[in-house]
Amino acid sequence: MTEKTDKSAGQRASRQQRITDYVVNNGSASAAELAELTGVSVMTVHRDLDELARRGLLRKFRGGVSAQPSTVFESNSEYRLNAHVEAKAAIARQALAHVEPGMSILLDDSTSALALATLLGEVTPLTVATNYLRAIDVLKDIDDVRLIAIGGDYSPTHDAFLGMPCLEAVERLTVDTTFVSTSAMTAELTFHQEPEVVMVKRAMLQSAQNRVLLMDSSKMPRTALHRLAPVTDYHRVIVDSGTPEATVEELRNRTQVDVAPL
């Protein structure tokens, strides 16, 4: 690679990172807006957006791009990390009440489970298994946590490991409790946009004696392309106090519900 080509590649990577950061922070943006932001042509922006969409970091639509989820598109990990942070923290604090020293637990690749991971140092010793790279980074520094890092095919969109190796590793485990979240739910069903993610989450549910669903109020009532599991499959659902009372009552007709105060 020549010095000129190397410089051009570096500029493109820097520009695409700037575009991604801007869209993640703002939810969506037009191509014209991004061209003005980066100082390049709209045509160059469209080429960048094609690549970012191919990598699963952003979702293109006519005239622009979005980091927000839809019924067929899950937002990337960076976007989810900065969305509904207070609600996820409250839900995690409530979930911690269901963790006792000596337990084995399984965490999925959700940012809600990540919020719980940051609190687990308060209830050690624990055995914790997860396929989420950010959770692994948090848990490896907590004393008295036996960490089982579940590998597989790395997904940049989710910053997690998926695929058949991940699925098989989860199926070999039996844990006390699994804490999972997903992108959408109604009072009857939970959903996700991607079949590969659905398979791993279902395996996690099957591997646990106790199944806890962590859902902030922005995710309901909503649907997505693939059905994950009925609400009755979860032993407990933890929501935040922004959830409508009618929805909470409907959920309580099907399972145990904790409401975390904001």
Side-chain angles (χ1 to χ4, degrees), residues 9 91 171:
I91 289 168
E171 289 173 342

Side-chain angles (χ1 to χ4, degrees), residues 153-166:
D153 299 327
Y154 177 71
S155 166
T157 302
H158 301 284
D159 198 17
F161 299 98
L162 300 169
M164 190 59 68
C166 174

Side-chain angles (χ1 to χ4, degrees), residues 50-186:
D50 285 340
E51 183 172 341
L52 292 169
R54 179 183 57 78
R55 290 162 55 194
L57 297 177
L58 301 173
R59 172 173 56 93
K60 281 192 76 175
F61 59 85
R62 186 174 179 84
V65 67
S66 175
Q68 299 168 341
S70 72
T71 58
V72 296
F73 177 89
E74 166 67 314
S75 52
N76 70 59
S77 179
E78 289 297 327
Y79 178 82
R80 289 184 285 117
L81 281 168
N82 296 296
H84 313 290
V85 175
E86 291 184 5
K88 292 171 185 176
I91 289 168
R93 176 58 60 182
Q94 186 73 34
L96 191 67
H98 302 287
V99 181
E100 298 178 2
M103 287 178 62
S104 58
I105 65 174
L106 184 55
L107 304 179
D108 71 354
D109 64 343
S110 67
T111 51
S112 297
L114 176 64
L116 174 59
T118 65
L119 304 177
L120 292 179
E122 300 178 24
V123 287
T124 55
L126 292 170
T127 296
V128 186
T130 183
N131 65 325
Y132 189 14
L133 190 56
R134 287 184 184 268
I136 292 169
D137 284 339
V138 167
L139 293 163
K140 68 181 175 59
D141 295 324
I142 299 178
D143 291 336
D144 293 324
V145 165
R146 179 192 175 197
L147 173 61
I148 301 173
I150 301 171
D153 299 327
Y154 177 71
S155 166
T157 302
H158 301 284
D159 198 17
F161 299 98
L162 300 169
M164 190 59 68
C166 174
L167 193 62
E168 292 176 344
V170 172
E171 289 173 342
R172 289 194 294 268
L173 296 174
T174 300
V175 299
D176 295 316
T177 302
T178 187
F179 294 91
V180 303
S181 186
T182 190
S183 54
M185 74 177 291
T186 64

Side-chain angles (χ1 to χ4, degrees), residues 198-218:
V198 168
M199 289 190 295
V200 170
K201 290 182 188 289
R202 282 179 180 169
M204 289 182 168
L205 296 177
Q206 290 299 314
S207 295
Q209 297 180 50
N210 188 42
R211 301 182 289 272
V212 181
L213 178 65
L214 312 176
M215 294 293 284
D216 71 76
S217 52
S218 72

